[in-house]
Amino acid sequence: MSDTGKTSAPAKVSPAGKVMRDGLWYNNPIFVQVLGICSTLAVTNNLRNTLIMVLGVSFATSMGSMTLSALRELIPRKVRMIVQVLVLSFYVIIIDIVLRAYQPAISKQLGPYVGLIITNCILMGRAEAFAASNPPGLAFLDGLANGLGYGWVLLVIAIVREFFGFGSLFGFKLVGDWFTPWTIMVMAPSAFFLVAIALWIANNYKAKVAAAAKAAAPGAAGAPAGQGGKP
Amino acid sequence: MKLNRNSVIYAAVFTFVVCVAFVIILAIANQVTLARVNANKRLESRTAVLKAFGLADSTTPSSEIDSKYTQLVTEKSVEKATAYTATIDGQTYVAVKLTMPGLWGPITAVLATDPAGTVVRGFEIVDQQETPGLGGRISEPWFSAQFKGKKVLPDGTIAFEQGSGKGNFDPNNGTVDAITGASRTSDFVRALVNRSLALARQIGGTL
Amino acid sequence: MIDAPSVGLLSLFLASILTSNVLLANFLGTCSFISISKDFKSSMGLGVAVTLVIGITAAVCWAVLYFIIQPLGIEYLSFIIFIIVIAGVVQMLEMIIDRFSPALYLALGIFLPLITVNCAVLGVILFMQIRKYSFPQAVIFGFGSGAGWWLAIMLLASIRKKLDSNNAIPAGLKGTGITLITIGFMAMAFVGFSGMIAVQ
C-alpha cells in the first residue's frame, strides 16, 4: 500500500479531475499497480459477467471508500483493518443479495467470484492509500475512478476472449458456424497473455508520450509512474 | 473529536456498533429479497422442466412459464428426486429432476421421456459446477439438444461417445457426443441420464 | 451431505495442485504472487504460510458453515463470517508459531498478516461451500490448493531469477509484463496434466 500521492497526472486540474484521471489512466490499477486482477480475471471469458463484476467492484470501492473516509476520524487504530474489511464486505454482500434477487442467472454463473470482491486488493488498497486521509466526496470519486479504470481494461480483455472463445459478444452470435472457437481463449492462460499484452501496449504508449513531452520541454517531463508494490 | 481513540473499550464498542448496524441492514435487505429469491429458484426449476418437456424455449417470457406450468404439469416427489407428468397432444410424458455427484460439485438435471422410457423427450441441466470451457460445456444448448427425440438403446440406456464435439443429432442411434476434454464430467452426466431414465420408467409404469 | 462430489481424495488432492491449480486456473492470489515472486526466499516463506492457512481455515470454515451458518440460516452473512474466521486463524497461528518456534516466526511473521486479504484463501473456502465438499474433501482440497499455490510461486520465482537478468525483453514488457506471460505459459503447462491423472 505505497502508492499514496505518487501519481503523475498534470497538476493543473482540479482535485476531482485529477483523481479521475489518475484512476482511469495515470495510476490505473492494472497498468501501474497490477492490483486486483484475481477476482475478476476468471470471469473475463464472458463480456456480460465481466460488466457485472466491474460494476460491482466500482460500487464496492467507491461506496466503501466514501464510508471509510466519513468514519476516518472515528475508527480506532487498533481495529482499523477489521473495520475496513467489515465495511467492504458489507457492500459486497449487498451486491450479492441484489444479484441473487434480480439477476439469478448471472449470480449463479459468477459463483464464488462475487464474494471474492472483498479480497480484491483494489478495495483495501484505496481504503488505505486514499480514503484514510481524504474527505468522503473525493474518496468516493477516487474509488469510482479506480474501479472504472480497472474495469475498462478488463472489458477490453473480455471482448477479445468472448469473441474468439465463443464467437459471440454479450452472448449474441456474431459469426457463422464455419468459425471454430479458440478453446484457449475460454481457458485461463489466455487471460494472463492478454493482460500482459495490454500492459505492453500501455507502457509503450506511455514511453512515447513521455519522450514527446521531454522533447517539447526538456527538464519538465512527467516522471513515469512508480510501480505500486502492494501485495 | 476528543474521545480516547486508543482505549480498548472504545475499540471494542466501536467495532461492535459497526457490526450490529451492518448486520441489521443486511438482515433487512435479505428479508426483503427473500421472496424474490425463492420465486427465482422456483421459476428456474419450472423453466427447466418445461424445456425438457419441449413446452418452452429460452425465449419464453417468465410470465408464461408459471401459467403454463400450473396448467400442464403435475409434480410429486419420489425418493431423493422429483417426478413430473404432463399431457401433450393427448400423450402423457414423464420427467425426473435428479441431483447426482459431478466432478467438482453436484449436477442437477431434468430428463423427460415417454412413460415406457424408450424415447427421450428432452434434457436440461439445471445446476453444475464443472470446469468452465471443459466440463462446464454441458450447459451449452447443443449438448442438451442432442437428447431431443433420441431413441433409447435396447438395454434402456443412452451411450456417450467421443465424437466431433459438435453434437450427434441422429435420433435413432441412441448415442450422444461426450464433451471433448472432459471425460470424467461426461461419465457423471451419463450416470445421471441413465439413472433418470430408469427412474422415469419406474414412474411411468405406475401411471 | 448426500450430494458431496464423489471424486476420490487422492485425485482431488492432485487435481487441486495440478489441473485446477487455484492460481493458474482460477487466478486466485495473483497480486501477492506477482509482487513476492521477485524473491526466492520470500516465496518459500509465503508459500508455506499460505498452505498452512488455507488448510486450517478450510477445516474451521467447514465446521462453521455446517454447525453455525446453516442451522441459523444466515447464509447471507457467510462472506463476513469467513473473513473473520480467516483473520482469527491467521492471528492464532501467528501467536502459536511465535510461542513455539521463534525462528519460524521470524521467517513467516511478516507474511501472515498479508494472507488475510489473499484471495486464494477466501476463494478456496467459497469453492468448498458451493461444491458442497464433505469434511475430508474440504481439508484435502484446502491443503492441496495451498500446496498448488506454493508450487506455482516457487516455480515462478525460479524462472524470474533468470528472466530479470535477460536483456532481450522489450522495455514495455519488463517486470510485470513478462511475468504475466510466464504465468500464462505455466498455466498452459499445468492444463497438460489433465490427461495424466484423468481428472478433466
Side-chain angles (χ1 to χ4, degrees):
Chain A
M1 304 173 187
S2 61
D3 54 279
T4 334
K6 254 205 309 187
T7 53
S8 55
K12 280 174 280 184
V13 287
S14 68
K18 181 172 154 20
V19 157
M20 287 306 280
R21 282 160 169 236
D22 274 344
L24 290 174
W25 177 252
Y26 292 100
N27 206 9
N28 183 293
I30 290 193
F31 292 151
V32 178
Q33 310 165 46
V34 204
L35 285 187
I37 48 178
C38 356
S39 55
T40 309
L41 209 50
V43 299
T44 50
N45 56 17
N46 179 311
L47 190 54
R48 194 188 54 173
N49 291 354
T50 311
L51 184 67
I52 297 285
M53 278 296 277
V54 161
L55 292 178
V57 171
S58 302
F59 170 80
T61 324
S62 50
M63 296 303 285
S65 277
M66 189 175 75
T67 314
L68 286 167
S69 160
L71 291 174
R72 73 188 189 282
E73 298 288 323
L74 295 170
I75 300 175
R77 290 224 137 272
K78 278 192 194 102
V79 291
R80 204 180 70 238
M81 284 285 257
I82 291 278
V83 174
Q84 282 174 350
V85 172
L86 271 177
V87 170
L88 296 174
S89 15
F90 168 76
Y91 286 109
V92 174
I93 294 178
I94 296 270
I95 297 170
D96 183 48
I97 289 178
V98 169
L99 279 184
R100 258 189 298 147
Y102 299 98
Q103 289 293 340
I106 293 181
S107 166
K108 220 168 81 178
Q109 278 180 19
L110 291 178
Y113 291 100
V114 178
L116 283 171
I117 296 179
I118 297 174
T119 49
N120 188 315
C121 320
I122 293 178
L123 271 73
M124 288 291 273
R126 293 330 288 172
E128 193 62 26
F130 197 88
S133 53
N134 283 288
L138 219 49
F140 175 83
L141 270 184
D142 176 71
L144 189 68
N146 273 280
L148 296 177
Y150 158 87
W152 74 260
V153 181
L154 288 182
L155 284 172
V156 170
I157 290 172
I159 289 174
V160 175
R161 285 187 77 187
E162 187 177 338
F163 183 76
F164 288 106
F166 296 100
S168 61
L169 284 180
F170 282 116
F172 292 110
K173 263 241 167 303
L174 292 180
V175 284
D177 284 336
W178 53 268
F179 179 78
T180 305
W182 306 11
T183 307
I184 182 79
M185 280 295 178
V186 182
M187 295 170 67
S190 67
F192 289 114
F193 293 138
L194 289 172
V195 175
I197 291 169
L199 197 69
W200 191 7
I201 295 172
N203 279 343
N204 279 353
Y205 178 76
K206 270 184 194 161
K208 217 187 254 170
V209 170
K214 213 174 219 166
Q227 194 92 353
K230 198 225 157 221
Chain B
M1 198 58 61
K2 276 283 154 260
L3 273 163
N4 181 5
R5 281 212 276 149
N6 292 319
S7 84
V8 177
I9 299 171
Y10 177 77
V13 170
F14 182 86
T15 317
F16 183 74
V17 170
V18 170
C19 272
V20 169
F22 282 168
V23 167
I24 290 175
I25 300 176
L26 290 178
I28 293 170
N30 188 56
Q31 275 306 317
V32 169
T33 54
L34 200 59
R36 238 198 120 88
V37 172
N38 289 336
N40 285 337
K41 274 191 194 139
R42 199 182 56 214
L43 184 70
E44 184 186 59
S45 165
R46 289 183 169 182
T47 311
V49 172
L50 287 183
K51 272 184 177 174
F53 275 129
L55 293 169
D57 54 38
S58 43
T59 59
T60 314
S62 47
S63 50
E64 233 172 85
I65 297 278
D66 273 330
S67 61
K68 246 187 178 165
Y69 184 91
T70 38
Q71 211 180 344
L72 292 169
V73 180
T74 51
E75 63 176 76
K76 74 169 186 231
S77 42
V78 285
E79 37 145 352
K80 287 204 303 190
T82 318
Y84 307 87
T85 45
T87 307
I88 305 157
D89 301 330
Q91 231 224 291
T92 306
Y93 290 94
V94 184
V96 177
K97 186 170 85 179
L98 189 60
T99 301
M100 290 214 337
L103 178 69
W104 287 114
I107 301 177
T108 305
V110 182
L111 181 116
T113 165
D114 60 325
T118 51
V119 178
V120 177
R121 173 105 185 150
F123 178 69
E124 277 297 315
I125 299 273
V126 184
D127 201 9
Q128 50 94 1
Q129 312 290 341
E130 305 308 295
T131 319
L134 290 171
R137 298 183 62 204
I138 53 174
S139 286
E140 289 178 8
W142 70 268
F143 184 75
S144 37
Q146 298 181 88
F147 291 88
K148 211 172 185 122
K150 189 74 85 179
K151 216 171 178 177
V152 178
L153 292 174
D155 65 351
T157 62
I158 294 276
F160 281 51
E161 67 169 28
Q162 217 50 261
S164 63
K166 297 229 169 198
N168 182 336
F169 296 101
D170 178 355
N172 293 319
N173 60 8
T175 308
V176 294
D177 277 0
I179 302 281
T180 316
S183 44
R184 290 282 302 253
T185 297
S186 302
D187 284 348
F188 285 117
V189 175
R190 178 177 54 209
L192 176 63
V193 165
N194 290 329
R195 177 92 193 91
S196 305
L197 269 174
L199 258 176
R201 224 170 280 130
Q202 206 181 317
I203 293 154
T206 63
L207 286 178
Chain C
M1 258 122 274
I2 288 159
D3 299 336
S6 65
V7 53
L9 292 184
L10 183 66
S11 42
L12 182 65
F13 186 65
L14 287 177
S16 55
I17 293 180
L18 298 174
T19 42
S20 287
N21 188 292
V22 67
L23 189 127
L24 297 172
N26 292 320
F27 307 95
L28 300 177
T30 325
C31 311
S32 44
F33 188 75
I34 290 174
S35 53
I36 300 289
S37 62
K38 273 184 229 141
D39 178 56
F40 194 82
K41 247 184 132 175
S42 312
S43 306
M44 188 75 188
L46 190 64
V48 176
V50 164
T51 311
L52 269 180
V53 171
I54 300 187
I56 297 171
T57 45
V60 177
C61 285
W62 189 91
V64 168
L65 177 62
Y66 291 106
F67 294 117
I68 299 176
I69 294 179
Q70 286 208 341
L72 291 178
I74 49 170
E75 278 90 352
Y76 63 97
L77 287 178
S78 50
F79 298 162
I80 279 196
I81 297 173
F82 289 153
I83 280 277
I84 293 174
V85 170
I86 294 169
V89 167
V90 169
Q91 194 86 57
M92 271 192 3
L93 210 61
E94 219 176 329
M95 285 183 334
I96 294 172
I97 295 178
D98 187 22
R99 178 109 168 63
F100 292 103
S101 170
L104 185 62
Y105 181 72
L106 273 182
L108 286 187
I110 44 164
F111 300 114
L112 283 170
L114 289 181
I115 292 173
T116 312
V117 287
N118 187 321
C119 350
V121 185
L122 185 65
V124 165
I125 288 159
L126 294 177
F127 274 121
M128 168 202 92
Q129 180 186 19
I130 288 192
R131 293 172 183 165
K132 304 195 171 127
Y133 282 138
S134 66
F135 184 72
Q137 282 174 329
V139 175
I140 291 287
F141 180 64
F143 276 110
S145 300
W149 199 89
W150 184 9
L151 176 68
I153 198 171
M154 293 314 293
L155 291 174
L156 184 65
S158 321
I159 297 174
R160 282 188 78 172
K161 244 184 175 171
K162 300 264 174 219
L163 268 184
D164 288 348
S165 54
N166 188 336
N167 288 322
I169 301 165
L173 268 181
K174 276 221 166 85
T176 315
I178 195 71
T179 308
L180 283 165
I181 292 190
T182 314
I183 301 175
F185 281 120
M186 285 170 64
M188 280 172 79
F190 272 58
V191 172
F193 283 116
S194 33
M196 200 176 89
I197 48 173
V199 178
Q200 287 204 347

